[in-house]
Amino acid sequence: MAKIHNIDANKLHKLLKAKQALLIDVREPAEYQSESIQGAHNLPLAEVTIDKIELLADTDKKLVFHCLSGKRSLMACNKLRNDDIEFDLYNLQGGISSWKNEKLSILTSARKILPLDRQVQLAIGLMIVFGLILNYFLNSIWLILPLIAGFGLINAAITGWCGLARLIAKMPWNK
């Protein structure tokens, strides 16, 4: 069974310069287009499969995954490890955020988009606020919105799966 190793931004930078690593960005396409690490291949978390990785994988290079903070990339590593991939996997600790904190260069575009996790936070906040406002002015049935948001957060905390994140990832602005 493959092992998952954490790697820091500076060590990854050295590996990339020496052409010893293959970097996979598991964020959504819009996040990747907004800012990315030079040489990274975009493969959103939902599309990570052993078949797609084997097409990209160069057995002489370390296979490194990254996202915004390191959470989605660790999920990608675990997903592949559970599929019995035959080589070790590497997760960029702290994701592209740690890369930027180390003042390493990134490619940026004029198109800016909120990262997926912040889009989810915004949607949950709006569900709660609008549910409470509509409850106050119209009818208590609107309390269903904060209730759904609460149950969604509980589910995401317990299982690590967020249905709202999957839904928002499919929205046109994230393509």
Side-chain angles (χ1 to χ4, degrees), residues 31-42:
E31 294 175 281
Y32 173 79
Q33 291 166 7
S34 178
E35 63 180 11
S36 63
I37 298 172
Q38 187 169 2
H41 300 272
N42 185 228

Side-chain angles (χ1 to χ4, degrees), residues 1 5 12 32 50 74 76 80 85 111 130 146 148 150 152 158 160 172:
M1 180 177 274
H5 307 276
L12 175 58
Y32 173 79
I50 194 165
L74 184 58
L80 291 170
I85 203 161
R111 181 177 181 219
F130 282 121
I148 291 169
I158 292 171

